[in-house]
Amino acid sequence: MARVLTAYLKRNDVPTRTALQHAITRLPFALTLDDGYVPLESSGYLPCTLDGEDAGFDLRFTDVAEQRADACDVAMTLKWGGDPREEAAALAVCAALATNFGAIVQRDGKQLSPDHMLEQAKGALV
């Protein structure tokens, strides 16, 4: 399974750090985004803390070249290494994006529901 998630959003729905952190806080994870998150600008490693430990991942924003039926025009790509905390953090962020900001999240070409992402995130931490 690839270590990448892609969240497709409408440009106007890409959340600020405060809005995204607020959405994450409502999830069953103690996850904090670094202040370095800047909507549509962050590019590279984004530090995060999950249960007091490092759980960052690579985050990139790109414009979507093809016309999509859902009108999403921005892709957020989240990649991680072998640490399961990094995977859990990326999944939790994507679940928050899908639940609160209308993101369509895909992994290996398949769309994931927020519940499925949260289940996978919990499984990564076992």
Side-chain angles (χ1 to χ4, degrees):
M1 187 176 298
R3 293 178 179 167
V4 62
L5 293 164
T6 304
Y8 295 97
L9 296 107
K10 296 175 186 165
R11 184 171 304 279
N12 291 339
D13 293 337
V14 175
T16 64
R17 186 212 170 273
T18 301
L20 182 53
Q21 184 62 59
H22 182 70
I24 291 167
T25 301
R26 289 184 253 163
L27 300 176
F29 295 96
L31 177 65
T32 304
L33 292 177
D34 186 80
D35 290 337
Y37 169 84
V38 179
L40 302 170
E41 293 181 24
S42 291
S43 181
Y45 183 74
L46 178 66
C48 297
T49 305
L50 179 62
D51 292 328
E53 296 185 34
D54 181 44
F57 49 83
D58 185 81
L59 172 65
R60 310 233 179 224
F61 289 91
T62 55
D63 292 329
V64 175
E66 76 275 5
Q67 181 71 24
R68 293 177 51 98
D70 53 29
C72 292
D73 55 358
V74 172
M76 293 176 68
T77 305
L78 295 80
K79 295 180 182 179
W80 59 91
D83 187 332
R85 291 179 306 232
E86 297 169 358
E87 179 180 12
L91 283 159
V93 167
C94 284
L97 289 168
T99 300
N100 297 277
F101 305 101
I104 295 169
V105 180
Q106 294 182 345
R107 184 177 194 171
D108 296 327
K110 297 177 184 166
Q111 187 171 333
L112 303 176
S113 71
D115 288 341
H116 189 185
M117 287 182 273
L118 292 174
E119 182 181 305
Q120 287 182 343
K122 290 175 187 174
L125 296 174
V126 175

